[in-house]
Amino acid sequence: MRPERLLRLALGPTSSSPWGHLNLATGVALAIATLIMLFGLARGVEGALRERLLGTLPDRMKVQPASFHLGPMRLVDWLDEPRIARLKALPGVRAVHRQARLSRPVQLRATYGEQSFWSDVVLEGADPGLVEPQLARGRSFLEGTDPVPAVLPRVMMDVLAAGVSIHTDLPAIAPEMLAGRHFTLLVGQSSFGAADGPVRQLRCVIVGISDQVGLGGPTIPLDVLQDFSPTPLRCHAATLELDSAQRAPEIEARLREMGLEAPGMDLARQIGAGITWVRAVLAAFGSALLLVAAMSLYAGLSLQVREEESTLGLYRALGASGRDLLALFLVRAGMLGMAGSVTGLAFGLLAGAWVGRGIASLAGGGPGAPLQLFQPDPLTTCGFVAFGIGTCLAAGFLPARRASRLSPAEVLRR
Amino acid sequence: MIQVRDLSLDYPSGPERIHALTGINLDIAPGECVVLLGPSGSGKTSLLNLLGGLERPSRGTLRVGGLDLVGASDHDLARYRNRRVGFVFQSFHLDGRRSALENVILPLYFGQASLTRGRERARALLQRVGMGELCHRPVQRLSGGQRQRVAVARALICQPELLLADEPVGHLDDATAESVTELLIELHREQGLTLVATAHDDRLLGHAGRVLELSAGRLMADRIAEAPSHHAP
């Protein structure tokens, strides 16, 4: 039978009510919508976790010396200059950005509106290349003495946003609002009193928010930090800038040979393994839903074959071959699958976006950095639609084969 | 045109086998009008089903216009039913959810002919069988005689060479039965169709060129009708 005639016949009147057909497609729509929504959310959560825990720049790899635990003591090694030089020489490494901490206590003092607050912080120094991609527009991290350029960790801004903006009538804190604001650091002083040695005051200007710097406090240029350290600074970590994110596993293997570790990679693996497990559970759940929908479709189409036996016998008498009737019911199953899958796609995308926004607002992702918790993968989403249609075709096969094997003489005799 | 040799049809019925037809031999020439007579269960409908390719015989040979219906594939049989045979059933077998016109063009869906031209031909056929005014009416709202006229138009839509009618007026009142019989005979004459029909009464018998009498699945008599109204060309 010609395809357009097959389609017209499949779309033609059937003895079941249109609502019956819709019910069959609804099950498929529900299953596909659930799969699309849950997988989109899983991907979004994975992305958010990676971004918040590992940073937003995928071609960067943080490196630190492997640490050893001896009872309660943790023995820490340092990245000395020869090691830094070896890191720079690794194939696939474009640049190495050093990070070091000041071992003296530091207190940060700032005002925001009528609010003034202070906090003990860890002052870090870094090479400019570490923070350059995340500087506010028109700002520089190159050496400056008064005020000194400083970058705040993203998590610190989130804490400020959650702790100040939400509980006061001050505007929400966003990265662009912080750029250009000043704060003061008192080096050698803490909330518990002054440390040994003189207390030095350092005026800073915020030039950016970064997820590459240490979480304990602001980061200033490494050379400036050196002036405040009574001893030569020792680098506790470095960030490698890679030619390509794909080279990370190969470089990580070389790092292990050098007695170094990349904690972000381990974390990424743990996140990936966790999300893979979650995905497997979701896939099983979605497949179970789809299986129920397919069984309902099978039952519905079987009923149609029984109800339409006399019509099908007539079609056979008028010249339809068994293959024509097989195709007729497969087309019906495919159309129901397509209707269900496309409806499921639309509902899944809408529901996923809505649920993702809801969870993000509950999680308090922080102003200026909205969490995108629903991130459907186009390929996976198309795969689900195809899976829905394929499942319906499979569910429709047995009823279609039964229709194709009807004996016209027997049916017309009844 | 039709050549039947030692044709038998058995089918299982519980633990037993029913012998619907046994050892039928006959030839039917193109353009003949043949009426099958016999009591219920004598095998008339089974013979029509075999001639129409609706089922396959258990034994014997059956050739229609050079096509071996016994060995033909499902696809070839379907094509045979679509292009070369027209069926008129006692209980009409129309698709109740479609209009008269849609029922008439239904066989075209399974063939290669143009649906647009087929629709024009269907209108003309409905006009010819006296149903031109009612062509868009759903068949559920038609009387028995009107439905059988639609069924006749449907049987002719693919311009078949063989028209098989199984008790075509069995469910109709006398007046309607008379007019449908007249219609079938007129169409048989106009289009030179080979008509094979089963009948209980002598309405159709009066127009037949040849009568085959069946009893218990066997061909008991093959005779020229007493007062044939039409001779085969």
Side-chain angles (χ1 to χ4, degrees):
Chain A
M1 206 186 325
R2 289 186 186 174
E4 76 277 8
R5 294 182 184 185
L6 183 66
L7 205 61
R8 283 174 70 172
L9 215 54
L11 285 169
T14 60
S15 51
S16 306
S17 74
W19 292 110
H21 284 253
L22 277 182
N23 283 345
L24 296 180
T26 304
V28 179
L30 186 68
I32 297 299
T34 307
L35 276 170
I36 289 173
M37 183 182 80
L38 294 180
F39 268 73
L41 287 172
R43 187 164 182 258
V45 169
E46 182 186 17
L49 281 175
R50 282 182 189 275
E51 186 180 313
R52 291 299 159 108
L53 297 176
L54 305 174
T56 51
L57 304 172
D59 61 344
R60 305 238 166 166
M61 184 192 285
K62 191 161 186 172
V63 177
Q64 63 188 37
S67 55
F68 301 95
H69 291 268
L70 189 65
M73 287 199 307
R74 182 166 172 262
L75 304 177
V76 180
D77 198 4
W78 305 100
L79 287 174
D80 51 18
E81 280 310 314
R83 270 180 158 176
I84 295 288
R86 285 177 65 194
L87 287 175
K88 283 180 181 168
L90 282 176
V93 174
R94 198 162 52 218
V96 177
H97 309 299
R98 298 166 301 163
Q99 285 174 269
R101 291 191 193 106
L102 187 67
S103 54
R104 302 199 72 203
V106 178
Q107 193 171 72
L108 181 150
R109 296 192 170 194
T111 57
Y112 179 48
E114 297 299 311
Q115 307 276 324
S116 65
F117 62 93
W118 59 91
S119 171
D120 292 330
V121 294
V122 177
L123 184 59
E124 287 199 7
D127 286 327
L130 183 75
V131 294
E132 254 164 15
Q134 294 176 313
L135 294 181
R137 188 177 297 172
R139 301 285 170 178
S140 163
F141 193 68
L142 294 174
E143 193 177 333
T145 47
D146 190 27
V148 173
V151 167
L152 294 184
R154 181 182 297 276
V155 68
M156 198 168 176
M157 187 196 70
D158 290 344
V159 169
L160 286 174
V164 179
S165 309
I166 294 174
H167 301 294
T168 65
D169 54 1
L170 293 168
I173 293 174
E176 55 274 19
M177 287 172 58
L178 290 177
R181 285 184 174 270
H182 292 81
F183 63 87
T184 304
L185 295 173
L186 297 174
V187 180
Q189 179 162 320
S190 77
S191 308
F192 305 100
D196 290 340
V199 174
R200 290 177 61 185
Q201 189 166 315
L202 181 65
R203 215 163 68 90
C204 297
V205 59
I206 300 173
V207 294
I209 304 294
S210 171
D211 50 26
Q212 301 288 307
V213 297
L215 307 180
T219 293
I220 61 174
L222 198 56
D223 296 344
V224 178
L225 187 70
Q226 182 62 68
D227 293 342
F228 291 85
S229 176
T231 56
L233 285 172
R234 290 187 296 185
C235 293
H236 67 278
T239 296
L240 307 185
E241 201 176 318
L242 311 181
D243 287 338
S244 146
Q246 275 75 40
R247 301 199 69 170
E250 166 201 339
I251 292 170
E252 191 195 6
R254 301 291 299 274
L255 294 176
R256 288 194 193 284
E257 290 167 15
M258 293 167 63
L260 302 173
E261 59 187 29
M265 293 290 284
D266 290 335
L267 195 56
R269 263 192 293 277
Q270 284 169 18
I271 293 172
I275 292 292
T276 301
W277 188 83
V278 169
R279 278 205 182 105
V281 172
L282 295 182
F285 176 64
S287 300
L289 278 180
L290 202 56
L291 184 69
V292 172
M295 285 166 65
S296 136
L297 192 75
Y298 164 78
L301 287 174
S302 296
L303 186 67
Q304 268 188 27
V305 172
R306 257 204 310 279
E307 282 180 346
E308 294 182 35
E309 263 187 3
S310 60
T311 306
L312 298 174
L314 175 67
Y315 287 176
R316 289 284 270 149
L318 297 180
S321 65
R323 209 186 300 167
D324 289 337
L325 295 192
L326 183 82
L328 180 71
F329 272 84
L330 284 181
V331 165
R332 276 193 195 166
M335 287 195 309
L336 282 172
M338 195 176 289
S341 297
V342 171
T343 310
L345 170 71
F347 273 103
L349 292 177
L350 287 173
W354 184 71
V355 172
R357 268 201 302 273
I359 297 175
S361 68
L362 285 176
L371 284 172
Q372 296 292 330
L373 285 186
F374 180 63
Q375 292 180 13
D377 172 41
L379 201 65
T380 312
T381 305
C382 291
F384 285 142
V385 172
F387 185 43
I389 296 171
T391 306
C392 290
L393 284 174
F397 180 73
L398 282 181
R401 197 175 64 163
R402 207 171 299 138
S404 75
R405 291 183 173 181
L406 284 174
S407 156
E410 197 178 313
V411 170
L412 294 176
R413 205 179 285 135
R414 285 174 200 160
Chain B
M1 181 194 186
I2 300 175
Q3 191 181 62
V4 178
R5 295 288 176 271
D6 197 23
L7 195 72
S8 297
L9 176 66
D10 306 337
Y11 52 84
S13 174
E16 297 176 357
R17 284 194 77 77
I18 303 284
H19 301 288
L21 290 171
T22 307
I24 306 287
N25 288 287
L26 63 95
D27 292 280
I28 298 174
E32 269 195 284
C33 176
V34 179
V35 170
L36 305 180
L37 285 182
S40 290
S42 59
K44 302 185 301 291
T45 300
S46 295
L47 184 55
L48 278 190
N49 285 347
L50 290 179
L51 293 178
L54 289 178
E55 55 190 328
R56 292 173 193 272
S58 309
R59 285 177 302 282
T61 59
L62 170 56
R63 301 184 73 84
V64 180
L67 177 68
D68 174 16
L69 296 192
V70 180
S73 66
D74 178 66
H75 179 257
D76 286 341
L77 270 187
R79 205 158 58 169
Y80 164 75
R81 290 194 298 267
N82 182 248
R83 296 185 187 173
R84 297 174 65 180
V85 187
F87 290 98
V88 179
F89 302 99
Q90 182 179 9
S91 46
F92 323 128
H93 284 306
L94 296 171
D95 188 343
R97 302 155 303 180
R98 296 175 191 270
S99 69
L101 183 67
E102 286 170 337
N103 265 283
V104 175
I105 63 168
L106 202 49
L108 297 174
Y109 279 91
F110 309 111
Q112 297 297 319
S114 152
L115 280 185
T116 315
R117 263 176 290 172
R119 198 174 285 273
E120 290 311 307
R121 181 170 159 71
R123 283 180 206 280
L125 277 170
L126 283 169
Q127 197 74 39
R128 173 67 189 82
V129 299
M131 292 293 294
E133 301 295 314
L134 301 173
C135 67
H136 293 297
R137 184 172 288 189
V139 292
Q140 278 175 331
R141 289 172 51 202
L142 297 178
S143 69
Q146 288 169 332
R147 288 185 197 192
Q148 198 59 301
R149 285 168 184 275
V150 173
V152 170
R154 183 186 63 191
L156 299 176
I157 188 71
C158 290
Q159 296 172 286
E161 34 196 283
L162 175 62
L163 185 61
L164 301 174
D166 188 9
E167 306 276 1
V169 295
H171 281 174
L172 305 178
D173 60 65
D174 283 349
T176 313
E178 192 62 48
S179 71
V180 170
T181 304
E182 289 292 337
L183 175 66
L184 281 173
I185 295 302
E186 280 171 25
L187 290 168
H188 157 65
R189 286 176 187 165
E190 279 170 21
Q191 305 192 10
L193 293 168
T194 306
L195 174 63
V196 181
T198 64
H200 264 126
D201 56 36
D202 55 3
R203 267 190 208 94
L204 203 53
L205 201 59
H207 302 277
R210 188 173 161 197
V211 176
L212 303 176
E213 287 182 35
L214 290 162
S215 176
R218 293 179 182 277
L219 183 59
M220 306 307 286
D222 181 350
R223 58 183 165 82
I224 304 296
E226 286 170 7
S229 59
H230 168 67
H231 295 283

